[in-house]
Every structure is written in C-alpha cells, then in structure tokens.
C-alpha cells in the first residue's frame, strides 16, 4: 500500500483525555480512532493488526476442533431469564434496550445462554458429542472504568468458545487441550515468555478457573508468578490452601502487575440444566451436558502487545501481528532515479507476496523515519541516492535498530528468512 494514499496520518499527540499508553500510541500512529471513552474504531492499519491476531486465534481454535459460527448481538431476554442472569444484579455490565412496542432486549454481553439453547435443538445423543463451538463477536459491556485504552472497552470483539461434553472427564481433556492452544496463541503473537497460566477464582460459574495473565505495568490485576513452573496465582486466590494444592511455596513467588488476556472456565451443568440441554447416554439415560467457556479479547491482546513491546520512539510489532512485513521508505528528495528505483522495489515485493507499506510521500527524511518508528513495522527498507550508489537497500530492524546493506539481488531471499 502506498502511504501517500493512506487516508490516515500520524499525529504529534493523542487526545488529552487519553491516558493509556496503548491507545495514545495507536491513535498517534493512525491505527485506531477514539469515538468516546471506552469505544474505539479500527482504522485500516489497526484492522490489519486485528485481523492478524484473529487469524492466529482462529488457526489454533480450528486445530483443536472448533467450529466457527456467529451468534446475534441483539439478545432475547427469554433465555437469560431461564438462567437467572437477566437481572442487573447478576450481570452488572448489561446494556439493554427496547423494541418500539416496549419489549426489552439485551445487547450481547456474553453468549452462554443463547448458544446453549441453540445447541439443545441439535444435540440428542452421546453420538452428537462432544462439540466445540466458537465465534468472533461483539460484546457490549457497560464497564465502570474505561481508562485502559483498547484493553478495556465498552464495545469489543471477543473470541468465545464453548465446549459441550458428555462427562467431566471428557470436558477436562478438552480444557487442558485448550489451555495448551492458548499458550500457543500467546507465543505466536510475541507474548509467550511473559504470559502465565494463572490460577484464579471462578466468578459466577465455578469455584476455580484459569486465566492467562501477561506481565504488564499497566495491568489491572495482581498475580504471584512462579518463574520455574511458568505458572501464577491470582491475588484473589493467593491463600495457603490454594498454594498447597498447587504444590508451590510463597517464597518461590514474585508479585507482579498483569493483564488478563484470556481465560477458561469450567461451567459444569449450570447452563445445560437451566436451558434443558441434555443427551441420551449409551444406556438410554438422559444426562446433562458438561460445559466450559474459553475467551480471548483480540483487542486487549493488541493493546497489551503495544504496552509491553513499544519503546520511546513508538510501537514495535512482532512479525506475526504487524500490519505489513516491510516498511519501504523512499528518500528521494526530488531525485527521479530514486523514485523509479523505489517503485521498482515496491513492485518486486508485491509480486512476491511480501506485504509492504510504501512511504512514497514527498516529505523530509526525518519525518519519514519518525513515522516509521511510530508505526512499528518490523523491517524498514530505505532507498536513497546513497543506497543506490552502493548497489542495494538499507535494512533496519525495528526491534534491535540494527542496520545492514542488502544487495538488490538478495532482497527477496533476505526477507523470506
Ligand atoms: P475482566 O475481569 O478483565 O473484566 P472478564 O472476566 O470480564 O475480564 P471474560 O468475560 O471472561 O473476561 O472475557 C474473556 C476475555 O475477553 C478476557 O480475558 C479479555 O481478554 C477480554 N475482555 C473482557 N472484557 C473486556 C473489555 N471490556 N474490553 C476488551 N476486552 C475484554
Ligand atoms: Mg469483566
């Protein structure tokens, strides 16, 4: 994509009311737009990053047998009344609205109830189970605080998967499989080393659950990390009995701030019982389906990546999430040979499927480099009179700052590494 055609521009400063580092950088670089507190739009660059994260999550969910669908954002109170969660006391972040005739409806806050009711129409026998169903869908939550940029918003897309199993044992096997898939996802998006499977309380569903917490100073949670075992315990369950059960000692743990990037919950038969989701076992006996839920917020993940990997110059994207692989920066200064050479390299990259943002704008070199640092694409290729004279392009690694002259003939080979 030619940067001269990109309708967004970088900005010197973020809106004054924006306090979170992730949103400040993402707004300044042109990835997102702040519509109001806790509500952000994704601009072309931001959407590319979002889709890359979504792609990684989708691949890992498909690999463990997930079937993707999309449920509705308008929710029927009927199923929520059955589970007892329509009330604002049960779910304190509900957004609700009304039809013209005054009938109340909900805006999707989560999807256990509608999906359980839907699955009940298809599952009759043990032969129909287990099934794993997921979606990327918008949730609306009237969050009290919205000061963490895109990490906590009032409208956000969640990947939520729900498992439907015949027994507790079958459920547990999948639960562990999903936990491993989650670690793969966090590793692929560049957060593996600082993300810990974290023992936590179960909220409204069960006694315990597992969170995936990424170490981050801007995090809202406090966790206790066991570096050796690469696990952690959430402050809310940091007690002697819990530590004993996990076989860890207080002295081995380190307190840290963290962001919950994902979580997995055993649901038991709470929703299947409430919504009549049963199956016939081998002996013809009617039994309740055992469920679990598994969430990840791709935007929270994106915000966390910005929080933990950026530097004083701007964003630093890991390869698998970057909006483009290469930022081609042409320093022509009116020299038509440099323009022609830059155009040629841009075409070469495009023909070979290397996604490239091409800074073909007629602005000062200093401004181009500052923008490139802010936008944070992993590899920068510079074309100038100087690089042409030396027979190649200059490559700059955004993470390490290392520069290297690459002969023209080996650009493709070098980038495919
Ligand atoms: P939190 O305790 O942070 O409010 P939660 O327990 O409400 O999270 P879930 O409802 O289980 O979270 O959601 C699953 C995932 O969705 C979270 O792990 C997080 O990645 C993401 N998520 C939750 N709330 C938000 C939000 N307001 N904005 C962006 N992402 C969110
Ligand atoms: Mg919440």
């Amino acid at each position: 994509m030619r940067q001269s055609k990109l309708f967004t521009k970088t900005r010197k400063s973020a809106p004054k009311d924006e306090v979170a580092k992730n949103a400040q950088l993402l707004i300044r670089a042109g990835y997102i737009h702040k519509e109001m507190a806790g509500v952000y739009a994704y601009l072309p660059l931001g959407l590319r990053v979002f889709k890359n994260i979504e792609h990684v999550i989708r691949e890992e969910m498909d690999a463990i047998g997930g079937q993707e669908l999309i449920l509705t954002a308008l929710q029927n109170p009927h199923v929520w009344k059955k589970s007892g969660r329509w009330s604002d006391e049960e779910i304190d972040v509900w957004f609700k609205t009304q039809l013209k005739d005054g009938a109340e409806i909900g805006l999707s806050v989560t999807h256990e109830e509608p999906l359980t009711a839907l699955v009940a129409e298809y599952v009759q026998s043990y032969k129909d189970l287990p099934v794993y169903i997921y979606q990327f869908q918008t949730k609306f939550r009237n969050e009290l605080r919205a000061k963490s940029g895109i990490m906590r918003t009032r409208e956000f897309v969640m990947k939520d998967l729900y498992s439907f199993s015949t027994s507790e044992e079958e459920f547990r096997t999948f639960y562990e499989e999903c936990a491993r898939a989650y670690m793969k996802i966090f590793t692929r998006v560049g957060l593996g080393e600082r993300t810990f499977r974290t023992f936590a309380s179960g909220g409204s569903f069960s006694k315990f659950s597992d969170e995936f917490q990424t170490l981050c100073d801007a995090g809202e949670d406090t966790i206790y990390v066991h570096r050796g075992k690469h696990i952690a315990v959430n402050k809310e369950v940091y007690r002697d009995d819990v530590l004993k059960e996990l076989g860890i000692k207080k002295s081995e743990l380190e307190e840290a701030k963290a962001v919950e990037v994902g979580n997995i919950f055993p649901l038991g038969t709470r929703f299947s019982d409430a919504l009549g989701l049963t199956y016939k076992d081998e002996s013809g006996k009617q039994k309740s389906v055992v469920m679990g839920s598994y969430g990840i917020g791709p935007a929270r993940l994106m915000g966390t990546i910005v929080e933990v990997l950026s530097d004083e110059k701007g964003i630093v994207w890991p390869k698998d999430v970057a909006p483009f692989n290469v930022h081609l920066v042409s320093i022509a200064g009116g020299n038509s040979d440099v323009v022609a050479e830059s155009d040629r390299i841009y075409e070469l990259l495009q023909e070979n499927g290397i996604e490239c943002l091409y800074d073909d704008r007629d602005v000062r070199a200093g401004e181009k480099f500052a923008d490139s640092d802010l936008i944070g694409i992993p590899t920068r290729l510079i074309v100038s009179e100087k690089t042409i004279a030396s027979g190649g392009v200059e490559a700059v690694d955004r993470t390490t700052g290392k520069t290297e002259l690459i002969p023209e003939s080996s650009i493709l080979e070098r980038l495919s590494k």
Side-chain angles (χ1 to χ4, degrees):
M1 154 142 233
R2 283 179 181 266
Q3 210 167 329
S4 61
K5 298 273 190 299
L6 190 65
F7 85 84
T8 59
K9 309 279 178 278
T10 59
R11 296 165 48 165
K12 286 269 175 309
S13 59
K16 279 197 196 64
D17 64 343
E18 185 53 75
V19 293
K21 179 168 95 174
N22 66 82
Q24 285 176 350
L25 285 170
L26 289 165
I27 291 170
R28 284 184 47 215
Y31 285 88
I32 60 171
H33 165 77
K34 185 173 192 168
E35 185 65 21
M36 58 181 129
V39 182
Y40 297 87
Y42 286 73
L43 305 176
L45 289 178
L47 185 61
R48 293 181 75 97
V49 173
F50 188 90
K51 283 187 170 169
N52 289 340
I53 294 173
E54 195 181 70
H55 174 75
V56 168
I57 299 173
R58 181 176 285 120
E59 278 195 348
E60 298 301 339
M61 292 298 99
D62 288 346
I64 57 172
Q67 301 182 43
E68 187 173 358
L69 52 54
I70 189 155
L71 298 172
T72 66
L74 296 182
Q75 297 190 319
N76 189 340
H78 180 67
V79 289
W80 296 90
K81 285 177 181 162
K82 283 192 175 174
S83 70
R85 291 210 297 172
W86 181 247
S87 97
D88 295 340
E89 280 83 62
E90 275 301 312
I91 295 186
D92 60 1
V93 291
W94 265 121
F95 273 111
K96 292 175 183 169
T97 186
Q98 287 183 352
L99 298 179
K100 294 283 185 201
D101 67 4
E104 271 197 302
I105 55 169
L107 298 186
S108 56
V109 66
T110 176
H111 283 89
E112 282 81 5
E113 280 83 346
L115 184 60
T116 306
L118 186 158
V119 168
E121 292 189 20
Y122 295 94
V123 164
Q124 264 93 44
S125 137
Y126 69 94
K127 290 179 192 152
D128 301 326
L129 295 168
V131 285
Y132 313 116
I133 301 170
Y134 76 98
Q135 62 177 347
F136 288 91
Q137 222 266 14
T138 304
K139 310 290 186 221
F140 298 94
R141 292 185 180 179
N142 205 343
E143 303 274 2
L144 193 61
R145 290 159 298 148
K147 296 199 182 331
S148 298
I150 61 167
M151 300 198 296
R152 181 179 297 285
T153 56
R154 299 197 168 103
E155 172 184 338
F156 64 99
V157 171
M158 192 196 287
K159 185 288 297 172
D160 43 337
L161 184 144
Y162 303 88
S163 67
F164 300 87
S165 308
T166 57
S167 66
E168 187 63 30
E169 197 193 351
E170 191 180 78
F171 155 74
R172 273 290 154 194
T173 305
F174 179 77
Y175 189 82
E176 288 307 316
E177 214 179 320
C178 192
R180 286 191 293 276
Y182 269 32
M183 278 314 297
K184 278 192 201 159
I185 291 166
F186 302 128
T187 300
R188 286 178 64 181
V189 303
L191 296 177
E193 267 166 48
R194 41 188 121 208
T195 302
F196 295 82
R197 181 171 174 176
T198 302
F199 202 67
S201 74
S204 64
F205 300 125
S206 73
K207 202 162 151 222
F208 295 112
S209 69
D210 290 271
E211 295 172 342
F212 291 82
Q213 294 272 3
T214 304
L215 300 184
C216 172
D217 292 336
E220 294 178 9
D221 290 359
T222 300
I223 63 168
Y224 293 85
V225 176
H226 194 293
R227 296 265 177 194
K229 295 191 171 176
H230 202 84
I231 56 169
V233 179
N234 193 305
K235 190 174 186 174
E236 58 187 26
V237 293
Y238 180 65
R239 302 188 306 261
D240 290 331
D241 61 312
V242 170
L243 297 183
K244 205 172 154 202
E245 198 182 316
L246 294 171
I248 50 185
K249 297 196 195 80
K250 265 197 177 147
S251 60
E252 299 165 345
L253 297 173
E254 185 185 310
E255 188 182 287
K257 282 274 166 222
V259 183
E260 181 207 297
V261 286
N263 66 16
I264 58 180
F265 277 91
L267 300 178
T269 60
R270 169 160 186 207
F271 296 99
S272 47
D273 286 340
L275 293 144
L277 172 56
T278 59
Y279 71 96
K280 267 200 180 68
D281 74 3
E282 284 95 327
S283 63
K285 225 171 90 196
Q286 208 72 29
K287 285 190 173 156
S288 297
V289 171
V290 178
M291 292 173 52
S293 78
Y294 312 79
I296 294 183
R300 187 177 286 183
L301 209 47
M302 179 170 162
T304 306
I305 293 168
V306 175
E307 288 283 341
V308 302
L309 299 181
S310 62
D311 62 18
E312 67 291 343
K313 293 181 192 159
I315 298 168
V316 181
W317 293 115
K319 215 166 137 277
D320 284 359
V321 302
F324 294 93
N325 304 131
V326 171
H327 200 173
L328 179 65
V329 179
S330 171
I331 308 297
N335 180 330
S336 58
D337 288 346
V338 178
V339 173
E341 177 66 2
S342 304
D343 283 355
R344 230 173 44 73
I345 292 174
Y346 178 53
E347 272 153 35
L348 177 77
L349 296 178
Q350 282 204 307
E351 279 161 14
N352 288 276
I354 295 171
E355 293 186 339
C356 173
L357 180 64
Y358 174 23
D359 192 349
D360 59 339
R361 297 172 305 162
D362 186 16
V363 300
R364 286 184 305 111
E367 194 177 330
K368 289 193 173 198
F369 293 146
D371 281 351
S372 180
D373 281 335
L374 179 62
I375 292 170
I377 293 167
T379 302
R380 182 189 308 164
L381 294 184
I382 303 166
V383 183
S384 65
E385 277 175 24
K386 207 176 90 198
T387 67
I388 293 173
S390 50
V393 297
E394 189 180 318
V396 186
D397 183 303
R398 177 67 183 86
T399 312
T400 62
K402 272 197 196 128
T403 66
E404 188 189 346
L405 193 82
I406 306 179
E408 239 221 77
S409 56
S410 52
I411 292 177
L412 289 177
E413 182 202 344
R414 187 53 193 58
L415 288 176
S416 60
K417 263 194 219 145

